[in-house]
Amino acid sequence: MHPSTYKAKAYSAASETSPLASTIIARRDPTERDVQIEILFCGICHSDLHSVRNEWSEFMATNYPIVPGHEIVGRVTRVGSAVTKYKPGELVAVGCMVDSDRTCQNCKRDLEQFCPNMTLTFNSPDKHLGGVTYGGYSDSIVVNEHFVLRLPSNLNIAGVAPLLCAGITTYSPMRHWGVGQGKKVGVVGLGGLGHMGVKFAHAFGARVVVFTTSPNKRDDAMRLGADEAVVSRNADEMKKHAGSFDFILDTVSADHDVNAYINLLGVDGNLTLVGAPAEPLRVPAFGLIVRRRSFSGSSIGGIAETQEMLDFCGKHNITADVEVIPVQKVNEAYERLLKSDVKYRFSIDMASLKSK
Ligand code: NAP
Ligand code: ZN
């Protein structure tokens, strides 16, 4: 039997060529373990844009209408009868997942992001209502308490929202690959993910080099914590770093030459891909063989690690650099995101959804 529902305001796209527009969706009333959240801010991730335009159709086709958004910060408004972690009035956050089976080997290791039965915040089968899940471009959301995060009290919440995806997606692989003092770390692409990657690598004590296609981002890269910024289209600048990196995080959203970065890794160096271009990338065997290099990927992070990341940000005063926009500007924001014209994440002020 389906739980009862209520009406929520949202922004959705009706097809891969439609702009996002105002709509009304059904949300379930909180069941026993659910937390109902009034959404205050939602970041715009490039994954929202890939999904809205069905660019990942081969791997994860989009179901329409789609309500994107998985960088959610809000206030608890109601809780189910068995909820113990949260109370109405508290500030909380939700990231890219809203459910998993909690029993598989991956869930038991706090790696819910790899659970075969994981439910993404949007465009995943909705176990409660049928259809698919609807994300954070909305005035509210209802989520099992296990997938709700606690916010540090000292941070600006518009800038906290992007931590729920851009933050954890860069924090997790850097922790996994031991980024820290004495390590030389590269971050490719200074966008939403990239600028968080720079902040974390710097906070972990590494030497940080940013690779950007945008010469005008050089000064920002240094301000954000880089020790050096390289314009990747300049072959001479690239050559100077050949064979010297311990770890490189690639956040690029479009097709590009990964081999150019594999060549910059030293012995046992690792390049981790978090950017998710629609087309396959070419990786020549010898680029990896010659220095026992590795090439890997990473997807967001588990719930416990996401909480750890938020607590780390509270302690080190880290938030995303955001441009706050009303939801009515979301289509314009997508066009600007494609042109790398945002410093460095859009954060939607959801109060704007209440106005016409
Ligand atoms: P974003 O803000 O648009 O940043 C991407 C950056 O890549 C741009 O700012 C630009 O940096 C660089 N870039 C863009 N087009 C390029 C091109 N043609 N050649 C070289 N560089 C280019 O996007 P984002 O939100 O950070 O997301 C980045 C990617 O990560 C997306 O594909 C997204 O879907 C994916 N993602 C993955 C995960 C995961 O769990 N693995 C999570 C979230 C997002 P410069 O101007 O500095 O060159
Ligand atoms: Zn994302």
Side-chain angles (χ1 to χ4, degrees):
M1 203 183 72
H2 287 169
S4 58
T5 60
Y6 69 95
K7 285 179 181 162
K9 287 189 174 181
Y11 252 55
S12 75
S15 78
E16 63 190 67
T17 52
S18 309
L20 289 141
S22 175
T23 189
I24 300 289
I25 56 171
R27 297 278 195 198
R28 67 179 182 273
D29 284 314
T31 63
E32 268 195 333
R33 295 260 171 214
D34 284 335
V35 176
Q36 183 189 42
I37 300 159
E38 177 197 2
I39 299 177
L40 301 175
F41 289 92
C42 183
I44 297 181
C45 178
H46 207 115
S47 305
D48 299 352
L49 188 156
H50 288 304
S51 303
V52 163
R53 301 193 177 172
N54 203 14
E55 289 171 359
W56 292 333
S57 56
E58 277 180 41
F59 176 66
M60 223 192 323
T62 302
N63 295 284
Y64 294 94
I66 176 176
V67 177
H70 55 205
E71 295 185 334
I72 299 166
V73 165
R75 196 177 289 285
V76 176
T77 43
R78 269 199 289 174
V79 296
S81 58
V83 168
T84 56
K85 277 175 75 183
Y86 299 103
K87 289 201 269 307
E90 286 178 329
L91 282 175
V92 292
V94 176
C96 303
M97 304 178 282
V98 290
D99 206 0
S100 70
D101 63 27
R102 316 271 302 278
T103 55
C104 73
Q105 290 307 313
N106 297 331
C107 283
K108 282 185 187 150
R109 291 172 62 207
D110 287 327
L111 297 171
E112 298 93 339
Q113 74 272 33
F114 305 128
C115 169
N117 299 306
M118 186 262 283
T119 304
L120 289 166
T121 304
F122 62 84
N123 195 39
S124 258
D126 185 330
K127 290 175 196 156
H128 298 266
L129 299 180
V132 291
T133 50
Y134 292 138
Y137 296 9
S138 176
D139 58 2
S140 72
I141 193 162
V142 176
V143 180
N144 179 295
E145 66 174 332
H146 179 76
F147 292 85
V148 177
L149 288 307
R150 204 172 287 287
L151 293 194
S153 57
N154 57 320
L155 300 177
N156 170 293
I157 60 168
V160 166
L163 300 179
L164 277 300
C165 177
I168 186 60
T169 301
T170 51
Y171 180 94
S172 178
M174 287 194 181
R175 279 293 195 222
H176 179 77
W177 289 96
V179 167
Q181 265 181 13
K183 297 288 167 81
K184 184 173 173 186
V185 169
V187 175
V188 188
L190 196 62
L193 265 57
H195 94 293
M196 289 312 308
V198 173
K199 290 187 186 204
F200 287 133
H202 176 72
F204 296 157
R207 175 173 169 75
V208 189
V209 181
V210 166
F211 295 93
T212 179
T213 58
S214 313
N216 63 346
K217 291 183 183 172
R218 255 188 218 271
D219 290 349
D220 279 350
M222 307 302 279
R223 175 181 59 78
L224 292 163
D227 297 286
E228 202 178 327
V230 170
V231 174
S232 51
R233 292 192 170 130
N234 182 325
D236 289 337
E237 276 192 64
M238 293 288 281
K239 222 187 273 168
K240 274 194 271 173
H241 291 277
S244 69
F245 281 87
D246 297 292
F247 176 77
I248 299 178
L249 188 72
D250 184 335
T251 76
V252 175
S253 52
D255 188 27
H256 63 292
D257 177 15
V258 273
N259 196 42
Y261 298 102
I262 288 174
N263 285 333
L264 303 188
L265 295 171
V267 172
D268 289 330
N270 168 268
L271 178 107
T272 290
L273 204 64
V274 285
E279 298 302 321
L281 299 164
R282 281 174 65 86
V283 181
F286 279 97
L288 297 173
I289 288 170
V290 290
R291 282 185 166 92
R292 200 165 58 193
R293 293 160 168 153
S294 64
F295 178 47
S296 61
S298 187
S299 175
I300 47 173
I303 291 298
E305 193 176 40
T306 306
Q307 189 62 62
E308 176 193 307
M309 179 274 308
L310 286 170
D311 296 345
F312 181 90
C313 288
K315 199 163 156 210
H316 295 266
N317 233 333
I318 294 173
T319 51
D321 288 22
V322 289
E323 178 177 336
V324 174
I325 58 161
V327 70
Q328 292 80 4
K329 289 234 160 127
V330 69
N331 294 303
E332 200 180 301
Y334 276 27
E335 292 313 311
R336 286 182 52 199
L337 186 62
L338 278 175
K339 289 188 268 179
S340 302
D341 175 26
V342 50
K343 291 187 169 178
Y344 278 89
R345 198 59 141 188
F346 290 110
S347 185
I348 306 171
D349 181 351
M350 275 311 157
S352 58
L353 197 51
K354 297 196 174 99
S355 61
K356 276 272 162 200

